[in-house]
Amino acid sequence: MLRPEQMSKVSVTGSKAVMPTVIEAIHDLNLVHLSDYDGTWDGFDNGNPIEGADDVSEKLVTVRALESTLGLSEGDVTPQSGPLGDDWEQRLEDIRTQINDLDDQRSDVREDLRQVDERIDRVAPFAELGIELDLLSGYESVDVLVGEGSTNAVETALAADENVRAFETFTGGDVVAIVAAPAEGAGEGIIDDALVGVEFQRHEIPETDRGPRAYVGELEDQKRDLETRIDEIDGELERLKQEAGPFLLRVEEDLSVEAQITDAPLQFATTNRAFIAEGWLPSEEYEKLASALREAVGESVEIEELERASYDRHGSTHTEDIAQGTQKAKADDEGEGPDAEEDSQQQKAVTDGGSAVTMGDEPPTIQNNPKGAKSFEALVNAVNRPKYTELDPTIFLFLTFPLFFGFMISDVGYGLLYVLVGFYMFQSFESPGISSLGGVAMWCGAFTIFFGILFGEFFGLHELGYMLFGEGGAPMGDKGLSPATSDFVYAWLIIAVLLGVLHLNMGWIIDFAENILHGHGLWGAITHSGSWLLMLNGIWIWVFSAQGAGTKPEWIYTTFDGEPFALGFSGFPLMDVFTIPAGIALIGGLDITLPLLMIVAGLILLGLGDPAELAEFVMPFAHVVSYARITAVLLAKGGMAFVVNLLAFGAVQTEEGSRPFIAPWTGYTPADGEVMFEGLFHMGPAAFVAGILVLIVGHIVVLLLGITSAGLQGIRLEYVEFFGKFYEGGGKNYEPFGTDRNHSEDQ
């Protein structure tokens, strides 16, 4: 559906005594998108959470923390079904104690392991030296320093320092031990002073009476013991995950439901004794709501349909007042009580001149598109969700984006891979966003296969066209990458421009209809959208018309009237309307053709509607030219695939100007023309292996670049050129108050 379904604004009014029961009944239905009270009514405040809300929130936080510790998710275990039992809180506490104890133990062991790793890192360099640690410290007459650096640079610096009387270095691997005797009168730290400016990483000498290798061995044993203990704790936690996981998932669901219910009054308008709750639901579900509330609380609440937002049979949006105000809340079973003044305030707050005054929010949007187009809602919502009062462009995106993408790639091999990857994403991921992108990828892949068949191309090879269509080759000929087929480039450029004209016509026609249906009237639609339609079509009919043919590129008239396609189109005729005499025109006689008349009429209408928009008069031309990027990506992708195959197979330049690959299925050999490149497959065994890698990696790169180039360029054309004509967005998603229980207590 292009339009959202009919929505009704409902109001539920009653005393606070029945509010918890009403909330539970509404929650169980999972139908009403609650409106948020903004605190603007005199005498009404936002409600407070139901008693026990803090306890529920605390338990819910606890359960989710335990699930996080266990790494527990919905797909890991089968959740518990049936009643939880009266002792579920004690069971939760026992599980919490066990998990927290194990987690604390794991944290302690990990800290011990970290310290052992640090000690190993500190002592390992000394093990390389092979010198006992007690020999590296405790001296009064010499300085000792151990670290990593260039031995030559260290020795040069020490030899040049006058405070160093003598020194000796010992090396092991990258580690250097320095023993230096100070000159007479020199202070402490002579080695550090001498090595200023030398890149040298100092190591602190560990305090131990054991040899470095023995010490490292002991530390390695400790490390293995600690890692074993961590594995044991992880095993205990995994056992708990399997045993307690079903229970925790079930408790989380119940607590989540309870938290929603207890926090619901925060969205209500309340007084000391009464409440008003408003929300939106599909109009056809109103009676279901009313029946459920009557069954739950009888006549203790007033249920009213305040207004109905819908589209009539012509598609126009309107809001229909249903109720003339909210009835008074019942103070007691008799409908009377000491809160009469409060009820009067309530009545005043929600009525104004006899028509309903509600919380003032717009209807939420339910996007109800056909199944095939459903995945493209994610691309629309990436910009903004459609408002309830505007057309949902998902179906148009579904019809055009895969078309653009498929034409830009147009290769059966790549298309098959896009379909397979899309199918995997669609089937394997629970995330709605990734699943939707998988659906989009499958549609784009299908159109890529379709155009690939028309071009006869399979991973950049053109033999598929001859296999499917015989000696004449593929119906769409060539992409125009060789000198002999360069005329095809002009054809694809013209087709891209025509796609742009059709696409923008679609956008402004939608805008034209929206302007009429949303209250601007026929004149507003003509000046706001009709003016652009006249200019768009006038400009491009003139571009392809015979008028001024001498100043236009010749290929405009020959591409579809000879080479490469003989379709009989050589431009539109002159279509003269009248001629302005030379004396009036001042510049000689001026023939006013139909396209020029359309352009002038469009400019006049645009000026009458909004003169400021005249500054954008070139937009119909510039935006259509933007669609030339379709041809650019088509040629770029085809060129990259050609280069990959050229490197692997090699190719020859024939006298006819074609560049076939040197491969058995093509029937061409180096003797058939000038060799462009011999090809890795023909250069020996080692080059053959390299050719396989080039072929695989190269086509993967082309595949990925196809996604980024064709995908991004196609999306840009949709978002900027197309959506900009009629779409604004900014709607709210329909999010009914309630939860679809996965594990009912009745199971």
Side-chain angles (χ1 to χ4, degrees):
M1 290 178 63
L2 301 180
R3 297 291 188 182
E5 61 184 88
Q6 187 180 67
M7 302 291 287
S8 289
K9 183 69 171 289
V10 297
S11 171
V12 179
T13 307
S15 65
K16 279 192 172 180
V18 298
M19 185 170 68
T21 306
V22 170
I23 292 173
E24 289 186 16
I26 295 176
H27 186 278
D28 290 342
L29 287 174
N30 195 23
L31 283 176
V32 182
H33 178 101
L34 290 177
S35 302
D36 290 318
Y37 172 56
D38 60 6
T40 57
W41 297 349
D42 291 338
F44 287 84
D45 295 314
N46 291 92
N48 296 316
I50 296 174
E51 184 178 354
D54 290 341
D55 183 54
V56 171
S57 298
E58 183 179 343
K59 286 186 173 63
L60 185 58
V61 169
T62 298
V63 171
R64 288 174 175 167
L66 295 177
E67 290 175 349
S68 176
T69 301
L70 293 176
L72 177 64
S73 60
E74 184 78 30
D76 294 335
V77 296
T78 302
Q80 175 181 326
S81 59
L84 285 173
D86 296 335
D87 63 340
W88 71 269
E89 291 184 81
Q90 182 58 50
R91 185 181 176 189
L92 176 62
E93 178 60 25
D94 294 342
I95 293 172
R96 186 194 67 80
T97 301
Q98 293 179 65
I99 293 176
N100 286 349
D101 286 348
L102 288 171
D103 190 46
D104 289 343
Q105 291 179 41
R106 183 169 59 180
S107 297
D108 292 341
V109 175
R110 283 175 173 170
E111 175 60 24
D112 292 342
L113 181 61
R114 185 190 64 79
Q115 294 179 6
V116 168
D117 282 334
E118 287 183 354
R119 289 198 292 271
I120 291 175
D121 290 341
R122 287 199 302 268
V123 78
F126 298 93
E128 289 189 35
L129 283 172
I131 301 175
E132 295 300 317
L133 296 176
D134 59 351
L135 298 178
L136 296 174
S137 60
Y139 299 103
E140 295 181 359
S141 58
V142 294
D143 274 358
V144 180
L145 186 66
V146 179
E148 294 183 43
S150 169
T151 304
N152 291 334
V154 168
E155 291 177 344
T156 300
L158 292 171
D161 195 302
E162 60 184 13
N163 290 322
V164 178
R165 177 168 53 86
F167 69 89
E168 187 70 46
T169 60
F170 306 89
T171 61
D174 295 329
V175 182
V176 181
I178 306 167
V179 180
E184 186 176 352
E188 297 180 355
I190 58 171
I191 299 178
D192 284 329
D193 293 341
L195 295 183
V196 172
V198 176
E199 187 175 343
F200 190 81
Q201 180 183 354
R202 178 172 179 169
H203 294 307
E204 183 179 350
I205 300 173
E207 295 181 2
T208 177
D209 56 358
R210 284 162 290 183
R213 288 191 174 87
Y215 188 41
V216 169
E218 291 178 10
L219 292 175
E220 292 286 356
D221 290 340
Q222 291 182 34
K223 180 178 180 178
R224 283 190 290 271
D225 291 341
L226 292 171
E227 289 174 340
T228 300
R229 179 56 185 150
I230 289 176
D231 290 340
E232 291 173 354
I233 294 173
D234 287 340
E236 285 294 306
L237 288 171
E238 181 61 29
R239 180 186 62 79
L240 270 175
K241 177 180 177 178
Q242 299 301 320
E243 293 179 358
F247 170 76
L248 291 175
L249 289 176
R250 173 57 192 282
V251 171
E252 183 195 11
E253 182 181 89
D254 283 8
L255 289 174
S256 297
V257 170
E258 196 170 347
Q260 283 185 319
I261 292 173
T262 55
D263 289 342
L266 294 170
Q267 297 177 267
F268 296 176
T270 64
T271 64
N272 291 333
R273 304 177 67 87
F275 75 93
I276 301 174
E278 291 186 4
W280 293 91
L281 80 166
S283 298
E284 62 185 19
E285 302 287 357
Y286 172 73
E287 287 302 326
K288 184 177 181 180
L289 171 67
S291 298
L293 291 180
R294 281 194 293 267
E295 182 179 345
V297 295
E299 299 299 323
S300 298
V301 294
E302 293 288 343
I303 311 159
E304 294 180 280
E305 186 178 8
L306 299 176
E307 55 184 291
R308 189 173 297 165
S310 65
Y311 292 88
D312 62 22
R313 62 188 180 88
H314 301 294
S316 63
T317 307
H318 67 278
T319 301
E320 177 185 352
D321 288 342
I322 303 299
Q324 296 299 312
T326 305
Q327 301 295 320
K328 296 188 297 179
K330 305 271 184 165
D332 52 33
D333 293 339
E334 305 299 327
E336 298 176 356
D339 57 329
E341 182 179 350
E342 182 179 289
D343 292 336
S344 176
Q345 289 178 327
Q346 174 186 329
Q347 179 72 9
K348 180 180 179 181
V350 294
T351 59
D352 179 18
S355 54
V357 176
T358 70
M359 293 181 184
D361 55 337
E362 295 294 323
T365 302
I366 301 176
Q367 290 176 273
N368 193 12
N369 290 286
K371 186 176 181 180
K374 201 73 178 174
S375 295
F376 289 80
E377 290 179 359
L379 295 182
V380 172
N381 296 336
V383 177
N384 224 327
R385 188 176 300 276
K387 293 180 181 178
Y388 185 83
T389 54
E390 67 182 347
L391 181 144
D392 182 355
T394 299
I395 191 68
F396 300 106
L397 196 67
F398 164 68
L399 293 173
T400 56
F401 177 70
L403 175 72
F404 295 157
F405 186 96
F407 183 72
M408 284 187 273
I409 304 298
S410 59
D411 188 293
V412 173
Y414 297 135
L416 288 172
L417 292 180
Y418 289 139
V419 170
L420 291 174
V421 172
F423 181 76
Y424 172 75
M425 294 169 63
F426 187 79
Q427 291 289 105
S428 304
F429 290 89
E430 295 181 3
S431 168
I434 297 178
S435 178
S436 294
L437 288 179
V440 172
M442 285 193 289
W443 278 107
C444 290
F447 274 84
T448 301
I449 293 172
F450 172 72
F451 282 108
I453 292 173
L454 294 182
F455 275 106
E457 191 163 319
F458 186 84
F459 288 116
L461 303 173
H462 298 280
E463 278 62 38
L464 179 64
Y466 299 104
M467 294 170 58
L468 295 177
F469 302 102
E471 187 176 347
M476 294 185 71
D478 194 274
K479 291 182 178 177
L481 299 176
S482 66
T485 60
S486 60
D487 287 342
F488 281 98
V489 175
Y490 300 129
W492 312 140
L493 183 59
I494 291 174
I495 287 177
V497 167
L498 292 178
L499 286 174
V501 172
L502 291 174
H503 205 213
L504 297 189
N505 264 294
M506 186 189 304
W508 269 312
I509 288 172
I510 294 171
D511 190 53
F512 187 92
E514 293 284 276
N515 276 303
I516 293 178
L517 302 177
H518 290 170
H520 294 100
L522 179 60
W523 178 248
I526 291 174
T527 56
H528 184 75
S529 308
S531 56
W532 291 114
L533 282 168
L534 284 171
M535 285 192 289
L536 170 69
N537 292 287
I539 288 172
W540 287 100
I541 291 174
W542 182 86
V543 168
F544 289 97
S545 72
Q547 189 173 31
T551 62
K552 299 174 185 177
E554 184 180 358
W555 51 264
I556 288 179
Y557 307 101
T558 60
T559 298
F560 291 100
D561 188 32
E563 292 295 336
F565 296 106
L567 301 180
F569 177 78
S570 58
F572 295 111
L574 287 176
M575 294 181 283
D576 282 334
V577 178
F578 59 88
T579 300
I580 301 178
I584 300 175
L586 301 178
I587 56 174
L590 179 62
D591 291 328
I592 301 298
T593 60
L594 181 60
L596 288 177
L597 187 62
M598 293 169 66
I599 296 170
V600 173
L603 288 169
I604 293 172
L605 290 172
L606 188 64
L608 293 174
D610 186 357
E613 289 190 336
L614 286 172
E616 301 178 356
F617 72 95
V618 297
M619 181 170 62
F621 180 82
H623 281 195
V624 170
V625 170
S626 183
Y627 284 76
R629 67 187 69 236
I630 292 176
T631 303
V633 175
L634 172 76
L635 298 176
K637 195 287 308 173
M640 288 188 291
F642 174 82
V643 169
V644 172
N645 292 329
L646 172 66
L647 292 173
F649 301 112
V652 296
Q653 181 84 33
T654 67
E655 292 181 359
E656 295 81 13
S658 63
R659 295 181 288 183
F661 296 114
I662 304 172
W665 59 82
T666 66
Y668 284 89
T669 67
D672 293 315
E674 180 183 352
V675 176
M676 296 178 61
F677 181 72
E678 187 177 356
L680 294 171
F681 283 175
H682 309 293
M683 295 181 179
F688 184 85
V689 174
I692 294 176
L693 292 176
V694 167
L695 196 65
I696 295 174
V697 175
H699 281 301
I700 290 175
V701 170
V702 176
L703 182 81
L704 297 176
L705 289 177
I707 297 173
T708 56
S709 58
L712 291 177
Q713 296 300 340
I715 281 294
R716 184 201 178 281
L717 293 174
E718 299 285 357
Y719 287 173
V720 179
E721 272 73 20
F722 184 58
F723 280 17
K725 305 299 177 286
F726 67 94
Y727 184 67
E728 181 179 347
K732 294 185 299 183
N733 187 31
Y734 172 66
E735 297 176 348
F737 174 66
T739 302
D740 291 326
R741 281 183 176 270
N742 296 320
H743 323 298
S744 170
E745 293 188 4
D746 298 331
Q747 289 180 330

